[in-house]
C-alpha cells in the first residue's frame, strides 16, 4: 500500500514542493473487528509506525493542482506505465484485435495502447463489421481531411454559398455546448452520424479543450482549421441562424421530400443542425428518415448539441440493418466509439497514471463515487451523504462501521485496502466519507482508503486546466470495479460508458427505497428525444416502441438503448 512518507501538513497549508504528487485528499482508514490477538512489542512498534504513515495522508491539497502547475513535455511522460499490471496483461494485443489502427504512432499517444492495462478487460468485443467500417472511415478522412486538395475544393464550394448536391467529400462540423461530459457524448453521436452517412467529422474545438485528446485518425486531423474557414462566428450560431435546418423547414424554404439537385431556388451552402436539448419539433425532424435523406445532399452540415442523440438513429428504419451489423450488442455504441475516439494526450495521461499508481494501484478493488448536485434538483447535503452510504452498504460495496467500537490502534493485516475514489466539485463528501472510516472500525475488518483528486467547488468549463482535471477524473472513474453515479449527469455517463460498467444510479427521491438502482445498460441517456413518430405521423412514447429502447432510470423523459 503506497502512502506518502512526508509528515502530515496542517489543514489548508500548501505542499512544500510543487513536484510532490502524493499530496492528494486521501485517507486510508484501518478498520478491524472486535476480536484481538496478543500483540508482541515489536509488532506493536511496527503498527505504530504504520499508523503514522497512514495519518501522513490526511491532508487537504489536491494532487491535480500540483500536477497542473506545469505541463510536462511528451518525452517526460513516455514512461508512464502501470507497474502493478501483471506481465502477461502487458503482452495482450494492443490493437484490440484490429479495432485500433496500426498506422498511428504509439509514442505520440500512450493512452491509446495503455488504457486497457488499467481497466478491467471488456466483456464486449467490437464486431468485425465495425472494425472494417472504421478502417474505411479512416481512409475517407485521410482523403478529405484538412490540408488536402479535396478539402480546399469543398471549402471553396462552401464560400460560394450555394448547394446543388453532395460533393466527393462531405462534412459534419461539430460545435461545442455546455460542459465536458455534454461535449463528449455529443461528439460520439456526431461521429456515429458521420459514420452512417459517409461524412467527415471535423471539430470546432474551443481552446479550453486544446490539449485533452490525441488525434484519433491516422495521418490527418479531426480539427476544423480556424483560419480561412468561410463561415465566421461559429460560436454564435444557434437556432435563429438563417441557415438553420429547423427554421428553413418552418419557413417552407426546405421540405424533406424536395429534390435538391433540380430545385429552382438557390439553397444555402451549409445547414445548421440545432440539436440542443431545448430545440423544437422542426429541429427534431433531423431524426426522421426523410430528413436524413435531404441532409445527405448538403456537403456541409454544422451541428451543435449537448445531448447523446445516438439512440434516435435506432428509430430510423432505413439504417437499422446497418446499426445491427455495426453493433450486434446494441448497448455498446458509446463503449466502443468512445474508447476509439477518446485517448488523453500524454500530458493528461501522465496525471492519470501517476495518480493511479500513487493511490489506487495496490487496492483490492476500487469503488468510484461520482457526485453532481444540480441547481434544479435541490438536495440537502446530509440527505445525499446518507443516500450514498446506504447505497454502498446495501449493495455490499462498502462495509458498515461499528459506531459503538473503540478507536484503538489497528492490528497487523496482510489484506489489501479497498479504495474509494470520490469525484465531486465539492470536498465535503470526501471529508465525511474519510472521517467515517477514520473514526470508526468496519465490522468486516476491511481496510478502506478514501481519495479525491480535486475539488473545484464550481464548474469552470472555459478553463483548460479545469477540463484536464475533469477528463483525468473521468478516466480514473472508468478504471473502477464498480461505480455509483448521480442521476442526469453526463460526466457520469462518460465514465461508466468508457469503463463498460453498468452503474448504480442514485435515485432522486430521498425517501425512496432502495437508495440506488442498477442500470440495465452502460449506455448514456438521451435526455430529450423527439416525441414525434415520423412513420405514424403522430406523437408517441418513444420509450415503449422497441424492446431494446426504454426510459432512463434517472430521467423518465429520456430513453436509452438496452440489450433485449
Amino acid at each position: 500500500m503506497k502512502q506518502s512518507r512526508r509528515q502530515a501538513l496542517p489543514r489548508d497549508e500548501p505542499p512544500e514542493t510543487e513536484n510532490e504528487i502524493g499530496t492528494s485528499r486521501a485517507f486510508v482508514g484501518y478498520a478491524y473487528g472486535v476480536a484481538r490477538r496478543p500483540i508482541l512489542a515489536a509488532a506493536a512498534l511496527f503498527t505504530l509506525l504504520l499508523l503514522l504513515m497512514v495519518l501522513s495522508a490526511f491532508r487537504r491539497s489536491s494532487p491535480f493542482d500540483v500536477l497542473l502547475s506545469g505541463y510536462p513535455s511528451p518525452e517526460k511522460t513516455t514512461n508512464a506505465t502501470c507497474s502493478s499490471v501483471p506481465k502477461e496483461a502487458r503482452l495482450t494485443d494492443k490493437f484490440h484485435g484490429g479495432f485500433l489502427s496500426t498506422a498511428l504512432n504509439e509514442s505520440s499517444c500512450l493512452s491509446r495502447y495503455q488504457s486497457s492495462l488499467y481497466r478491467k478487460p471488456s466483456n464486449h468485443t467490437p464486431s468485425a463489421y465495425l472494425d472494417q467500417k472504421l478502417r474505411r472511415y479512416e481512409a475517407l478522412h485521410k482523403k478529405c481531411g484538412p490540408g488536402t486538395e479535396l478539402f480546399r475544393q469543398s471549402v471553396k464550394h462552401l464560400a460560394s454559398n450555394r448547394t446543388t448536391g453532395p460533393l466527393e467529400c462531405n462534412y459534419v462540423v461539430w460545435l461545442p455546448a455546455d460542459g465536458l461530459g455534454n461535449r463528449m457524448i455529443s461528439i460520439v453521436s456526431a461521429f456515429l452520424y458521420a459514420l452512417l452517412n459517409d461524412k467527415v467529422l471535423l471539430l470546432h474545438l474551443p481552446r479550453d479543450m486544446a490539449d485533452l485528446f490525441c488525434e484519433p485518425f491516422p495521418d490527418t486531423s479531426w480539427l476544423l482549421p480556424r483560419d480561412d474557414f468561410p463561415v465566421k462566428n461559429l460560436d454564435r450560431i444557434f437556432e435563429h441562424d438563417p441557415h438553420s435546418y429547423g427554421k428553413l423547414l418552418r419557413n417552407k424554404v426546405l421540405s424533406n421530400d424536395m429534390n435538391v439537385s433540380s430545385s429552382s431556388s438557390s439553397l444555402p451552402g451549409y445547414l445548421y443542425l440545432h440539436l440542443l436539448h431545448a430545440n423544437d419539433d422542426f429541429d427534431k425532424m433531423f431524426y426522421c428518415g426523410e430528413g436524413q435523406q435531404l441532409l445527405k445532399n448538403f456537403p456541409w452540415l454544422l451541428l451543435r448539441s449537448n445531448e447523446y442523440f445516438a439512440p434516435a438513429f435506432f428509430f430510423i428504419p432505413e439504417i437499422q440493418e446497418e446499426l445491427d451489423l455495426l453493433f450486434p450488442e446494441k448497448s455498446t455504441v458509446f463503449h466502443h466509439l468512445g474508447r476509439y475516439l477518446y485517448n488523453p494526450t500524454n500530458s493528461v495521461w501522465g496525471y492519470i497514471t501517476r495518480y493511479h499508481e500513487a493511490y489506487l494501484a495496490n487496492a483490492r478493488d476500487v469503488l468510484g463515487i461520482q457526485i453532481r448536485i444540480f441547481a434544479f434538483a435541490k438536495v440537502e447535503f446530509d440527505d445525499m451523504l446518507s443516500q450514498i452510504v446506504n447505497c454502498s452498504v446495501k449493495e455490499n460495496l462498502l462495509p458498515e462501521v461499528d459506531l459503538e467500537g473503540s478507536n484503538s490502534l489497528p492490528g497487523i493485516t496482510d489484506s489489501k485496502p479497498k479504495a474509494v475514489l470520490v469525484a465531486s466539485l465539492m470536498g465535503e463528501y470526501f471529508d465525511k466519507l474519510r472521517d467515517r472510516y477514520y473514526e470508526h472500525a468496519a465490522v468486516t475488518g476491511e481496510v478502506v482508503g478514501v481519495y479525491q483528486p480535486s475539488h473545484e467547488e464550481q464548474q469552470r468549463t472555459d478553463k483548460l486546466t479545469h477540463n484536464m482535471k475533469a477528463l483525468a477524473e473521468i478516466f480514473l472513474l472508468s478504471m473502477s470495479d464498480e461505480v455509483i453515479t448521480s442521476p442526469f449527469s453526463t460526466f457520469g455517463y462518460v465514465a461508466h460508458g468508457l469503463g463498460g460498467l453498468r452503474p448504480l444510479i442514485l435515485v432522486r427521491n430521498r425517501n425512496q427505497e432502495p437508495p440506488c438502482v442498477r442500470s440495465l445498460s452502460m449506455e448514456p441517456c438521451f435526455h430529450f428525444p423527439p416525441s414525434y413518430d415520423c412513420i405514424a405521423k403522430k406523437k408517441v412514447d418513444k420509450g415503449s416502441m422497441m424492446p431494446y429502447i426504454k426510459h432512463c432510470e434517472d430521467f423518465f423523459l429520456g430513453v436509452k438503448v438496452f440489450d433485449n
Side-chain angles (χ1 to χ4, degrees):
M1 180 177 57
K2 295 188 175 181
Q3 295 294 333
S4 170
R5 287 165 171 77
R6 288 177 54 203
Q7 190 172 357
L9 298 175
R11 294 173 67 92
D12 300 322
E13 183 175 327
E16 294 174 2
T17 65
E18 291 189 343
N19 294 322
E20 179 77 39
I21 295 176
T23 56
S24 74
R25 294 166 54 79
F27 183 80
V28 178
Y30 285 80
Y32 296 87
V34 176
R36 296 282 194 266
R37 292 177 304 191
I39 301 177
L40 299 176
L45 178 60
F46 176 81
T47 299
L48 181 59
L49 292 174
L50 182 63
L51 181 59
L52 291 174
M53 291 167 56
V54 170
L55 292 178
S56 71
F58 180 35
R59 57 188 71 185
R60 301 283 300 183
S61 57
S62 164
F64 282 174
D65 291 331
V66 175
L67 292 171
L68 292 170
S69 63
Y71 289 83
S73 64
E75 292 78 8
K76 291 183 180 180
T77 58
T78 54
N79 293 321
T81 60
C82 184
S83 60
S84 63
V85 177
K87 183 178 180 181
E88 57 271 19
R90 298 172 187 269
L91 302 178
T92 57
D93 178 14
K94 62 185 177 184
F95 300 108
H96 304 283
F99 182 57
L100 297 179
S101 171
T102 60
L104 290 157
N105 181 278
E106 182 172 350
S107 63
S108 66
C109 186
L110 296 172
S111 63
R112 182 178 286 115
Y113 307 99
Q114 294 181 2
S115 291
S116 61
L117 302 181
Y118 291 83
R119 297 190 182 112
K120 292 193 303 183
S122 175
N123 295 323
H124 312 280
T125 303
S127 68
Y129 189 81
L130 176 58
D131 293 344
Q132 296 166 7
K133 189 80 170 181
L134 291 173
R135 300 294 86 78
R136 289 197 297 270
Y137 176 84
E138 289 165 359
L140 175 66
H141 201 114
K142 183 177 179 180
K143 182 178 85 168
C144 300
T148 63
E149 181 58 33
L150 286 172
F151 178 78
R152 285 189 284 270
Q153 292 177 14
S154 297
V155 169
K156 184 177 180 181
H157 182 87
L158 174 62
S160 70
N161 198 28
R162 189 173 187 276
T163 290
T164 57
L167 302 175
E168 184 173 354
C169 294
N170 303 283
Y171 303 86
V172 54
V173 177
W174 173 87
L175 306 176
D178 293 344
L180 183 61
N182 297 85
R183 296 175 184 183
M184 293 178 72
I185 60 173
S186 64
I187 288 174
V188 167
S189 303
F191 180 62
L192 178 60
Y193 174 70
L195 208 61
L196 292 168
N197 291 279
D198 296 320
K199 293 181 181 292
V200 174
L201 174 67
L202 297 176
L203 307 184
H204 174 58
L205 214 60
R207 288 181 172 84
D208 54 61
M209 292 180 69
D211 193 36
L212 296 185
F213 302 109
C214 302
E215 292 277 3
F217 314 125
D219 303 318
T220 185
S221 176
W222 65 342
L223 302 181
L224 180 73
R226 289 180 174 271
D227 299 330
D228 302 324
F229 191 68
V231 183
K232 305 302 180 184
N233 299 319
L234 291 175
D235 295 329
R236 300 179 183 178
I237 294 178
F238 286 91
E239 68 269 32
H240 300 300
D241 187 83
H243 295 75
S244 169
Y245 166 67
K247 183 175 182 178
L248 292 172
L249 282 179
R250 187 186 303 106
N251 295 336
K252 300 185 187 307
V253 177
L254 288 180
S255 64
N256 283 334
D257 59 352
M258 72 186 303
N259 187 327
V260 172
S261 60
S262 62
S263 175
S264 58
S265 60
S266 176
L267 297 177
Y270 72 89
L271 288 183
Y272 165 65
L273 303 173
H274 187 70
L275 303 183
L276 288 163
H277 68 281
N279 58 2
D280 63 20
D281 289 340
F282 287 99
D283 296 312
K284 290 178 180 177
M285 293 301 291
F286 166 82
Y287 302 117
C288 290
E290 292 177 353
Q292 290 289 311
Q293 291 301 315
L294 172 66
L295 294 173
K296 286 182 179 180
N297 291 284
F298 287 83
W300 286 94
L301 298 174
L302 276 55
L303 183 156
R304 190 186 304 278
S305 178
N306 58 357
E307 292 226 75
Y308 183 66
F309 58 87
F313 297 127
F314 286 91
F315 293 110
I316 302 175
E318 292 86 349
I319 57 177
Q320 283 184 2
E321 183 178 354
E322 179 80 355
L323 286 169
D324 289 341
L325 292 171
L326 289 170
F327 305 102
E329 291 182 90
K330 292 181 173 60
S331 67
T332 61
V333 176
F334 186 88
H335 180 61
H336 290 323
L337 296 187
R339 285 191 171 198
Y340 173 78
L341 290 175
Y342 297 131
N343 299 287
T345 58
N346 285 355
S347 295
V348 179
W349 186 239
Y351 309 145
I352 295 168
T353 54
R354 288 192 294 274
Y355 192 89
H356 188 278
E357 278 294 279
Y359 302 108
L360 307 177
N362 289 330
R364 173 169 51 87
D365 53 69
V366 179
L367 168 64
I369 301 179
Q370 181 262 331
I371 307 167
R372 179 64 194 273
I373 306 298
F374 294 96
F376 60 81
K378 295 181 179 180
V379 181
E380 295 295 331
F381 173 82
D382 288 340
D383 292 335
M384 175 58 76
L385 179 65
S386 176
Q387 192 174 1
I388 293 168
V389 171
N390 290 340
C391 172
S392 58
V393 171
K394 288 185 178 181
E395 295 293 332
N396 295 317
L397 300 180
L398 285 178
E400 187 57 271
V401 296
D402 179 9
L403 297 178
E404 304 299 326
S406 62
N407 249 344
S408 59
L409 291 176
I412 298 174
T413 178
D414 294 328
S415 65
K416 288 187 175 182
K418 182 181 187 69
V420 180
L421 179 74
V422 178
S424 175
L425 290 172
M426 298 171 288
E428 290 82 359
Y429 291 101
F430 162 81
D431 292 336
K432 291 295 184 180
L433 289 171
R434 173 205 58 199
D435 292 348
R436 175 179 172 83
Y437 292 98
Y438 166 53
E439 296 173 354
H440 306 285
V443 295
T444 59
E446 290 181 83
V447 179
V448 178
V450 181
Y451 310 92
Q452 181 177 23
S454 69
H455 52 106
E456 294 283 273
E457 303 303 330
Q458 59 181 314
Q459 188 168 333
R460 299 180 177 91
T461 301
D462 60 335
K463 302 295 184 183
L464 175 60
T465 54
H466 176 87
N467 288 331
M468 294 177 83
K469 295 177 188 179
L471 181 61
E473 292 190 9
I474 284 173
F475 267 74
L476 287 168
L477 283 171
S478 78
M479 298 170 184
S480 303
D481 297 282
E482 290 275 7
V483 65
I484 298 173
T485 64
S486 299
F488 204 75
S489 173
T490 57
F491 188 103
Y493 294 163
V494 176
H496 69 66
L498 291 176
L501 304 168
R502 291 194 298 115
L504 284 159
I505 305 175
L506 299 168
V507 298
R508 288 183 176 277
N509 188 345
R510 67 185 182 185
N511 297 318
Q512 182 174 327
E513 287 291 337
C516 55
V517 295
R518 174 76 68 178
S519 175
L520 298 177
S521 170
M522 58 186 170
E523 277 284 281
C525 177
F526 182 12
H527 287 151
F528 296 97
S531 59
Y532 183 72
D533 185 335
C534 305
I535 299 174
K537 307 295 184 185
K538 63 179 182 180
K539 291 193 173 185
V540 297
D541 178 7
K542 286 294 180 75
S544 60
M545 289 181 62
M546 296 179 176
Y548 51 85
I549 295 183
K550 302 178 182 178
H551 287 292
C552 308
E553 300 94 342
D554 58 333
F555 189 62
F556 70 98
L557 292 178
V559 296
K560 65 193 299 185
V561 180
F562 298 78
D563 286 311
N564 61 328

